[in-house]
Amino acid sequence: MADSIFSKIIRGEIPCLKVYEDEKVFSFLDINPIAPGHTLVIPKEPAETLDQLSDESAAALGKILPLLCRAVMKATGTRQYNILQNNGKGAHQAVAHVHFHIIPKPNSTEGLGIQWPTRPLPQEQGQEILAKIRDAIAGTVI
Ligand code: 5GP
């Protein structure tokens, strides 16, 4: 399990601008925001990536995220926003503790810029990956 800078923030060993806290979830302002109101929402459980998170922490995060989104949008007067959740260094995860970014998108220059290199899904490739994903789900106890 990770003991990252975010675990230290949860324990109060490093200061933060706290937005919200309950038994399983902690939320605070990002120290380097890409838009005003850029907020991080994290489980207290020190899982590194989302796939490693317990059902209990996942449920707690899922329950509170929409409320925090509404609060950030109200506070910033913004109606558009992105939720970003990176897993792994190659996927731009800098802190090895699960975190969701709530990033207001007030205009075209602030907030998240996204590259979305789409290409059509070849039928055969789609069927192949679909079968593998379904097999993986079937092999998991839900
Ligand atoms: P990632 O790239 O891992 O998805 O994003 C990590 C985020 O954590 C970054 O946006 C970064 O600014 C933020 N961050 C890193 N260290 C600290 C810190 O000590 N305090 C706060 N408030 N945010 C941090």
Side-chain angles (χ1 to χ4, degrees), residues 1-48:
M1 288 289 188
D3 189 30
S4 67
I5 196 158
F6 287 176
S7 293
K8 293 184 173 68
I9 287 175
I10 292 167
R11 292 196 297 265
E13 295 165 13
I14 292 176
C16 73
L17 294 176
K18 182 161 83 175
V19 169
Y20 173 84
E21 180 176 11
D22 64 29
E23 190 195 339
K24 295 198 179 304
V25 176
F26 197 93
S27 175
F28 52 104
L29 295 183
D30 196 294
I31 202 167
N32 290 127
I34 61 172
H38 183 166
T39 298
L40 299 174
V41 186
I42 68 177
K44 288 187 173 174
E45 180 185 335
E48 284 193 24

Side-chain angles (χ1 to χ4, degrees), residues 61-136:
L61 279 167
K63 186 175 177 196
I64 205 66
L65 258 174
L67 182 152
L68 294 176
C69 290
R70 287 192 288 274
V72 171
M73 293 315 109
K74 188 172 182 186
T76 57
T78 313
R79 296 182 63 183
Q80 303 184 98
Y81 63 100
N82 295 96
I83 298 296
L84 178 67
Q85 203 280 309
N86 299 325
N87 297 279
K89 279 187 186 153
H92 303 282
Q93 183 181 14
V95 180
H97 183 130
V98 171
H99 51 283
F100 288 79
H101 298 255
I102 302 175
I103 309 171
K105 186 69 180 167
N107 52 57
S108 60
T109 54
E110 292 180 292
L112 191 64
I114 300 179
Q115 284 188 326
W116 200 264
T118 62
R119 54 195 169 96
L121 176 65
Q123 184 69 13
E124 201 175 306
Q125 190 185 316
Q127 292 297 343
E128 191 183 328
I129 193 65
L130 181 64
K132 287 181 181 173
I133 294 169
R134 286 183 172 172
D135 278 354

